[in-house]
Amino acid sequence: MSEQQQLDRPNQLVSHGEEAHSFDGIQEYDNKLPNWWLWTFYLACIFSVVYWIHYHVLQTGPSSMEAYQMEMKAAKEAAEKRAAKNPLTNRLLVKLSKNPKAVEEGKKLFLNKGCVACHKADAGGLIGPNLTDEYWIHGSKPVQIFQTISEGVPLKGMPAHKATVGRKGIEKIVAYLQTIRNTHVKGGKEPQGKKEDG
Ligand code: HEC
């Protein structure tokens, strides 16, 4: 079809020389597919075969589960390295307890992370011991308190919080607890543990 003819009959299909055929009443020409389309298609086919052989036949590539486990392991190692570089000390936690912002955040965490159900909002103690006296079951040193909150005492009903609150959050809770220890809130639970002065 010449250009002029095409302008006269815009609804006519443009043929690049192939025969027209009719399929289900629809008339179409066997036009060549564009090269960019064909190459995308060929490359997708090649990719899928290589992918299938690499991951499923030879299994030389990690499965999704293995890849996930590798990433988790790397993240754990990185966290351990960071922790080793920056070990937790009593001095660090005492210093943190002098930082009003950290103490405020620690108080919020104490109120919002479920501690109040067992230790009461004023930390005077319910199921869990009074945290405002000078008696401690698991040690009164800031690092010991960190440890109790992080690992918990599962057999005695104190849950571990390292997964739910995280190291930074627990540090802030300990900072907050430093500011309320020995304040003897009214109506606090009777002493439990040994008398210690931190
Ligand atoms: C399900 C109840 C429960 C929850 C929730 C809970 N605790 Fe406890 N907690 C306990 C019990 C019970 C003990 C005493 C464990 C024992 O007798 O050895 C305890 C002990 C402790 C101690 C050690 C006290 C000591 O005398 O050595 C600290 C500190 C503490 N909890 C802080 C927290 C903080 C902070 C949270 C919230 C992040 C929290 N607890 C959440 C029940 C709980």
Side-chain angles (χ1 to χ4, degrees), residues 88-106:
L88 201 58
T89 59
N90 290 319
R91 249 187 63 193
L92 208 123
L93 289 169
V94 170
K95 204 171 135 204
L96 199 64
S97 71
K98 308 255 168 22
N99 172 344
K101 200 164 154 252
V103 169
E104 189 53 37
E105 283 174 33

Side-chain angles (χ1 to χ4, degrees), residues 30 57 68 95 110 118 126 145 147 164 166 181 184 196 198:
D30 288 331
V57 179
Y68 168 75
K95 204 171 135 204
F110 184 81
C118 300
L126 277 171
I145 298 174
Q147 190 69 11
T164 48
R181 64 191 292 163
H184 302 275
E196 286 189 35

